Amino acid sequence: MAADRTGPAAFVHHACLYGSDAEFLAMAVPFVRDGLAAGEPVLAATTPANIELLREALGVSAHHLDTAETAYFGRRPVERVSAFLRYHERRARPGRRTRMIAEPVWAGRSARQTAEWKRMESGLNVLLAGLPVWMVCPYDTRVVPGDVAEAALATHPARLDGERLAPCASYADPAAYAAAVEGPAASCAPPTAARTGPTGDASALRRLARERAAGAGLTGGRLALAELAAHEAAAYLLAPEGARVTLRAWEEPGAVVYELRRTEREGGRRMGRDADVPPFAGYRPPGDAQGAEDGLWLARTLGDSLELRARGPETVLTLRVPGPGDAERL
């Protein structure tokens, strides 16, 4: 296996583009065997077929390998990040690196979901920085779209082919990459969208969020969760002193959409600069100490998607929560 010279305390993030079972095993078997031999925890979160191939190739060593079907190891990016952190915290050993084979699932993703997963893959370089984790993300070129395979080389500093390591020439700074990734065109608020603000009153924003969700047909616990998600998103934008937020809310097939725009502070200071918008805010679960991003993590977890971007002089947060037609949440 290619030597890792970054030291045990640094996060290492490699891509592996493979086009056959043999190419997958050429990377995975040495990676796992070397880790187990060093007394390191090793997780293979990949497809059931790859797990079976890996177990057969490892023989009795497979008893010491942790496995997870990748489709269930974090359904959405925010859950995926939490799953990585939970595994590391549960299995970490002093003075040892944690190894992970972490294969994303791309089949069947919508354009919006694909864009969000690409951002997350890039964001891992920031979100897990400093952790003693060595992660290899396999991409099966037999099934992943071409743009996803290209993205792998932009979101990982290096690629691993078998035991050969090479830098990715197209690797991009995570913040710049996240800002450049384009999903589907942002939904425009229809003329019938409910609106309030600009206001610094969180209760007024929460009231409208609840009224619009109820008007869309949400009731009971689902109504309460939609209201809470919108409230936490608004609270994040309102956190800077003097902030004011405008909320527009409307219904789309399968979703209630909240668009929150933070405007300038009292006194005219603009807040929508790139520096004011951490591109990966709210992906890490809350820790022991309360932080400004804790509520944003909750909003990401309760919603179907959340985008946070700087647009000129404004900070725009778009939150989609499941609508009454989403049978998965019934």
Side-chain angles (χ1 to χ4, degrees):
M1 175 60 63
D4 166 34
R5 300 181 176 84
T6 59
F11 176 60
V12 178
H13 196 203
H14 295 157
C16 172
L17 277 64
Y18 69 97
S20 68
D21 293 349
E23 289 180 354
F24 172 79
L25 291 174
M27 173 279 295
V29 172
F31 180 79
V32 172
R33 279 185 175 159
D34 289 354
L36 295 178
E40 298 172 341
V42 185
L43 169 70
T46 182
T47 65
N50 282 346
I51 290 173
E52 184 174 339
L53 286 169
L54 190 51
R55 284 173 174 163
E56 290 177 355
L58 290 170
V60 295
S61 298
H63 293 292
H64 304 288
L65 173 67
D66 296 321
T67 61
E69 289 190 28
T70 194
Y72 304 104
F73 194 73
R75 185 176 66 89
R76 294 175 300 130
V78 66
E79 296 165 351
R80 185 82 161 185
V81 173
S82 295
F84 290 144
L85 291 170
R86 280 196 306 270
Y87 178 79
H88 172 66
E89 290 166 4
R90 187 175 69 249
R91 298 284 280 122
R93 299 174 187 172
R96 297 285 189 273
R97 185 186 293 284
T98 302
R99 297 192 185 209
M100 301 182 194
I101 294 174
E103 182 158 15
V105 176
W106 300 98
R109 300 280 186 204
S110 69
R112 180 175 292 109
Q113 290 171 333
T114 297
E116 188 176 5
W117 276 82
K118 288 178 180 178
R119 292 188 201 104
M120 186 272 292
E121 278 283 84
S122 182
L124 291 174
N125 298 293
V126 175
L127 296 166
L128 303 186
L131 288 182
V133 171
W134 186 354
M135 181 180 292
V136 179
C137 300
Y139 287 69
D140 188 345
T141 57
R142 294 169 294 186
V143 295
V144 300
D147 66 296
V148 170
E150 290 178 7
L153 303 180
T155 56
H156 298 76
R159 62 182 293 176
L160 197 56
D161 297 310
E163 297 185 69
R164 182 167 56 87
L165 185 65
C168 292
S170 57
Y171 175 68
D173 171 78
Y177 181 83
V181 170
E182 294 292 339
S187 300
C188 295
T192 55
R195 172 177 171 162
T196 190
T199 179
D201 184 358
S203 62
L205 298 169
R206 181 165 186 159
R207 222 171 15 250
L208 178 62
R210 180 178 179 86
E211 290 170 359
R212 194 63 191 86
L218 292 180
T219 59
R222 297 183 68 187
L223 174 60
L225 292 177
E227 177 188 1
L228 179 59
H231 169 76
E232 294 295 341
Y236 175 78
L237 292 183
L238 287 171
E241 183 180 355
R244 296 169 66 80
V245 169
T246 298
L247 169 64
R248 291 181 175 84
W250 67 94
E251 185 179 2
E252 290 182 351
V256 177
V257 184
Y258 298 114
E259 181 195 80
L260 299 106
R261 292 178 178 260
R262 184 171 66 185
T263 54
E264 63 187 46
R265 296 180 184 177
E266 293 177 0
R269 181 182 173 189
R270 295 288 184 182
M271 302 176 61
R273 300 167 302 168
D274 290 346
D276 293 322
V277 186
F280 308 111
Y283 274 99
R284 290 181 63 103
D288 295 334
Q290 290 187 337
E293 296 181 11
D294 291 358
L296 195 62
W297 174 84
L298 183 58
R300 286 192 187 276
T301 302
L302 295 176
D304 269 347
S305 69
L306 186 152
E307 287 189 27
L308 183 64
R309 290 184 180 272
R311 292 179 183 165
E314 296 180 310
T315 300
V316 182
L317 188 156
T318 305
L319 171 68
R320 286 175 171 78
V321 299
D326 187 348
E328 183 178 348
R329 306 296 180 100
L330 296 177

